[in-house]
Amino acid sequence: MRCPMDILVVSPRADLWQNLRPQFERRGASMHAAATLDEALNGMKNQLPVLVVLDLDLNRDELRHAVFRILSVNAMIHTAAVSTMSPETFHDAMEGLGMLTSLPTSPTPSDIDALMDALAKVTG
């Protein structure tokens, strides 16, 4: 069963995301972490997140493949990714996948707020 605001961050950078956890919580979300995509996909068997944030330093083809793997679990899971691509390049590269947004490689609390605002727009 999906919790209303369960966020899953897939990243080997646990410390970075742990420091951002309070920002998710201020927005009414719980944040869980997985170090790898396989670990995340395995965890989704027990609990589906509303959003998966991919922070895995993937090239565009690898990122598309990762999103396809998440959507194959449940097409209602929203996704976002940490990326070095410009917003325009990211949009073009990920077109058709329904990704919410890209985040900079060093996300700040204001980036998390923007992410949560985008999530709120699509979840109502």
Side-chain angles (χ1 to χ4, degrees):
M1 179 184 225
R2 181 191 299 209
C3 293
M5 293 300 285
D6 184 33
I7 311 297
L8 175 59
V9 175
V10 186
S11 176
R13 303 187 303 164
D15 290 344
L16 168 78
W17 291 98
Q18 187 64 25
N19 289 335
L20 292 168
R21 179 184 301 274
Q23 196 63 27
F24 285 104
E25 291 172 349
R26 277 192 277 281
R27 297 296 300 262
S30 62
M31 188 202 86
H32 300 83
T36 67
L37 183 58
D38 287 337
E39 181 183 328
L41 293 168
N42 192 40
M44 285 183 217
K45 293 175 185 173
N46 299 318
Q47 182 173 350
L48 290 176
V50 69
L51 170 67
V52 175
V53 178
L54 295 167
D55 178 19
L56 295 170
D57 194 26
L58 302 173
N59 69 41
R60 68 189 286 166
D61 292 335
E62 293 168 331
L63 181 56
R64 286 184 66 82
H65 181 70
V67 173
F68 282 129
R69 289 184 67 193
I70 292 165
L71 295 176
S72 73
V73 171
N74 186 314
M76 298 302 291
I77 298 172
H78 300 285
T79 56
V82 171
S83 175
T84 58
M85 290 182 247
S86 71
E88 298 80 19
T89 302
F90 182 84
H91 175 75
D92 290 345
M94 300 301 123
E95 191 167 6
L97 295 179
M99 295 187 76
L100 288 180
T101 191
S102 63
L103 296 166
T105 56
S106 295
T108 65
S110 63
D111 295 318
I112 300 307
D113 281 337
L115 174 65
M116 295 304 291
D117 289 345
L119 182 61
K121 286 179 183 175
V122 298
T123 60

